[in-house]
């Protein structure tokens, strides 16, 4: 088999066999195929697309390119959860202990943030002493003992995806639905999931701003999951404004803790219950979503979910006292209010711009090797639809540098629009794809 022939076949609109796709992925991962030939292949896929069968074959080939986590020794059906990335999205910190408290084991590998979207591992790193890197043995042992473990992804998990993604990034082939779907799903499958719940973000702060694009990606990933034997459900959710009020690592941990106490923002609580309920259904813990939400709501009210988070922190070397004293989290030196320039109703809070304001403060990274400041970020005081008086704070900037704080405040104001009349409400959950 020759790479040239496979490239030509896809270039001319042919449907590739699983063997041809496996050959391309394996040979590129091992260095037998040079960058320029894989770049040609990716461009052919970008232009010609892939069938569901081809996308499934690509997903499996990438999942099998490195180590695969074996969760078979753990009891029950293992359900993973993945978000396509957003601003203020700390749902994993709420959903994972919540679902574990319901008796469903959660063995989750998460990533670091890049660009204006935050990463779960960075948020966890804000907890004093918390170990975000576990060996496979420690990871599985914690799930067996407390039903929950959260760790960073291992370097050899789907290495083909890492290598191919880097090439996509410099060849203008990133925005391809089959390539995006296979990238996400290959890592989930390699991580050992039996079933997968996806949170596909849509809006200004999402990778895909348009609902039609998000719907196509959700459908492709659900079908891809089915094609490789993984039951998959996708929720398409709004990311036109940040989720919750906190944007920034330690600030988001504090908000997640409030949510686990039953005192979190309505949007974060609602989305966490929706995602968690889907996980319980796929795990066979409950019969339907309504029963799942009812069970999870009880666990929030009783404090069982918060207790599970406390167990998680202790199990991974962190100081569990932070659960009861969030003041132990990293704190910024400066807290600067951002006053509203006029009275009216908040009509827009562009999530991407607010994410960039948090990055400017040091809460995010442009490149993977960048260091981040875990203490800084923004806390919104108003959300879309809220009434605001002139001079009333729209947000508070948490910063360790006065000049950056002023720049971030100005950038935040550029993301905010105020109108005389209340705007039409926007749904948090657009649709569910099964």
């Amino acid at each position: 088999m020759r790479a040239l022939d496979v490239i030509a076949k896809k270039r001319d609109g042919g449907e590739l066999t699983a063997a041809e796709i496996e050959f391309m992925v394996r040979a590129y991962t091992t260095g037998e195929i040079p960058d320029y030939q894989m770049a040609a292949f990716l461009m052919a896929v970008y232009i010609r697309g892939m069938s569901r069968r081809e996308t499934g074959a690509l997903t499996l080939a990438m999942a099998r390119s490195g180590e695969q986590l074996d969760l078979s020794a753990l009891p029950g059906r293992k359900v993973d959860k993945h978000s396509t990335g957003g601003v203020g999205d700390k749902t994993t910190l709420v959903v994972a202990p919540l679902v574990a408290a319901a008796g469903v084991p959660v063995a989750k590998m998460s990533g670091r943030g890049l660009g204006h979207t935050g990463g779960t591992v960075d948020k966890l790193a804000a907890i004093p002493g918390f170990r975000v890197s576990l060996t496979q043995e420690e990871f599985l042992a914690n799930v067996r003992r407390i039903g929950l473990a959260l760790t960073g992804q291992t370097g050899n998990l789907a290495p083909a995806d890492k290598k191919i993604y880097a090439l996509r990034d410099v060849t203008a082939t990133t925005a391809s639905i089959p390539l995006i779907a296979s990238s996400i799903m290959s890592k989930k499958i390699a991580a050992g999931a039996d079933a997968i719940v996806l949170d596909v973000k849509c809006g200004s702060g999402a990778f895909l701003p348009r609902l039609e694009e998000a719907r196509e990606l959700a459908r492709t990933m659900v079908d891809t999951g089915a094609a490789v034997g993984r039951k998959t459900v996708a929720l398409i959710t709004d990311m036109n404004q940040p989720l919750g009020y906190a944007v920034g690592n330690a600030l988001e941990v504090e908000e997640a803790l409030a949510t686990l106490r039953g005192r979190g923002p309505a949007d974060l609580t609602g989305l966490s219950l929706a995602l968690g309920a889907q996980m319980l259904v796929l795990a066979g813990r409950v019969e339907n979503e309504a029963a799942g939400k009812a069970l999870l709501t009880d666990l929030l009210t009783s404090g069982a979910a918060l207790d599970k988070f406390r167990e998680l922190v202790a199990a991974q070397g962190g100081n569990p006292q932070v659960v009861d004293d969030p003041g132990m989290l990293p704190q910024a030196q400066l807290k600067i209010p951002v006053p509203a320039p006029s009275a009216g109703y908040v009509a827009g809070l562009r999530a991407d711009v607010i994410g960039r304001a948090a990055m400017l403060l040091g809460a995010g990274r442009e490149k993977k090797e960048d260091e981040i400041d875990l203490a800084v970020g923004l806390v919104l005081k108003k959300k879309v639809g809220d009434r605001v008086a002139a001079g009333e704070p729209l947000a508070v900037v948490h910063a360790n540098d006065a000049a950056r704080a002023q720049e971030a405040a100005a950038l935040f104001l550029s993301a905010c629009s105020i109108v005389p009349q209340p705007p039409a409400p926007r749904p948090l959950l657009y649709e569910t794809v099964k």
Side-chain angles (χ1 to χ4, degrees):
M1 194 176 295
R2 297 192 311 160
L4 181 64
D5 298 326
V6 179
I7 295 167
K9 183 176 178 180
K10 176 47 66 178
R11 178 202 63 195
D12 296 338
E15 183 168 359
L16 302 178
T17 67
E20 288 169 329
I21 293 170
E22 173 73 28
F23 164 73
M24 292 295 294
V25 170
R26 178 190 53 76
Y28 182 60
T29 305
T30 59
E32 299 169 49
I33 293 177
D35 281 351
Y36 61 81
Q37 283 193 311
M38 180 53 77
F41 174 75
L42 293 173
M43 187 58 74
V45 170
Y46 181 90
I47 294 170
R48 290 294 191 174
M50 276 186 154
S51 67
R52 293 290 190 262
R53 187 196 58 76
E54 286 178 299
T55 304
L58 179 59
T59 301
L60 275 181
M62 292 199 298
R64 293 168 177 164
S65 65
E67 67 182 33
Q68 296 185 72
L69 194 61
D70 183 4
L71 303 180
S72 60
L74 300 177
R77 188 178 175 91
K78 277 67 71 177
V79 185
D80 204 348
K81 170 257 176 193
H82 177 80
S83 168
T84 57
V87 178
D89 182 7
K90 69 283 293 179
T91 52
T92 292
L93 303 184
V94 179
V95 173
L98 192 52
V99 170
V104 174
V106 178
K108 179 162 176 55
M109 290 187 174
S110 296
R112 298 186 181 276
L114 186 62
H116 72 267
T117 61
T120 298
V121 168
D122 297 320
K123 304 182 208 308
L124 291 170
I127 299 172
F130 193 98
R131 292 176 58 211
V132 296
S133 296
L134 301 178
T135 66
Q136 184 170 318
E137 292 73 22
E138 291 171 326
F139 181 69
L140 295 175
N142 283 358
V143 178
R144 288 192 194 96
R145 186 164 60 86
I146 69 170
L148 174 61
L150 296 175
T151 187
Q153 292 172 354
T154 66
N156 200 36
L157 191 78
D161 173 65
K162 182 177 181 180
K163 192 172 182 182
I164 290 171
Y165 188 89
L167 192 58
R168 286 169 54 206
D169 199 36
V170 295
T171 56
T173 55
T174 299
S176 162
I177 296 295
L179 296 178
I180 296 169
S182 58
S183 174
I184 292 171
M185 296 296 288
S186 64
K187 292 191 288 285
K188 295 292 105 179
I189 291 165
D194 297 316
I196 303 161
V197 174
L198 299 164
D199 181 4
V200 180
K201 300 296 187 186
C202 173
S204 66
F207 182 69
L208 298 174
R210 294 171 48 242
L211 179 58
E212 295 77 11
E213 296 172 317
R215 185 182 289 124
E216 183 183 354
L217 177 60
R219 180 79 268 162
T220 300
M221 289 195 292
V222 168
D223 290 349
T224 299
V228 299
R230 306 302 198 277
K231 177 68 176 176
T232 306
V233 174
L235 277 63
I236 302 176
T237 66
D238 184 67
M239 187 39 68
N240 282 293
Q241 65 175 332
L243 184 66
Y245 289 85
V247 180
N249 299 288
L251 298 170
E252 292 187 44
V253 173
E254 185 172 355
E255 187 167 72
L257 290 171
T259 305
L260 288 167
R261 284 191 170 82
R263 300 199 295 268
D267 57 350
L268 175 58
T269 301
L271 181 55
S272 297
L273 291 173
L275 291 167
Q278 291 288 354
M279 292 176 73
L280 295 188
V281 171
L282 291 186
R285 177 68 174 80
V286 296
E287 291 187 3
N288 54 53
E289 297 161 40
K293 286 183 180 181
L295 173 58
L296 297 176
T297 300
D298 288 344
L299 293 170
L300 283 180
T301 304
S302 70
L306 187 67
D307 289 342
K308 185 59 67 175
F309 190 89
R310 187 181 287 107
E311 282 187 83
L312 169 71
V313 174
Q316 295 193 208
N319 188 340
Q321 293 180 359
V322 75
V323 174
D324 301 304
D325 182 12
M328 296 175 64
L329 294 165
Q331 303 289 316
Q333 298 174 12
L334 305 173
K335 297 179 182 179
I336 300 174
V338 183
S342 61
Y345 294 86
V346 179
L349 289 167
R350 283 197 51 142
D352 56 338
V353 178
I354 294 172
R356 290 202 297 273
M359 280 183 65
L360 180 63
L361 293 167
R365 53 174 67 86
E366 290 278 3
K367 303 182 295 295
K368 288 186 177 181
E369 60 272 17
D370 289 348
E371 292 291 327
I372 61 174
D373 186 337
L374 296 169
V376 301
L378 302 98
V379 176
L380 309 184
K381 294 299 181 181
K382 301 290 181 179
K383 296 291 289 282
V384 171
D386 289 347
R387 184 173 177 80
V388 62
E392 188 179 4
L394 290 167
V396 175
V397 174
H398 291 240
N400 285 322
D401 181 285
R404 286 191 178 192
Q406 294 301 326
E407 288 182 63
L411 191 55
F412 174 83
L413 280 177
S414 74
C416 182
S417 58
I418 299 173
V419 297
Q421 299 299 322
R426 184 188 296 273
L428 176 63
L429 173 60
Y430 289 107
E431 57 192 72
T432 301
V433 180
K434 298 182 179 180

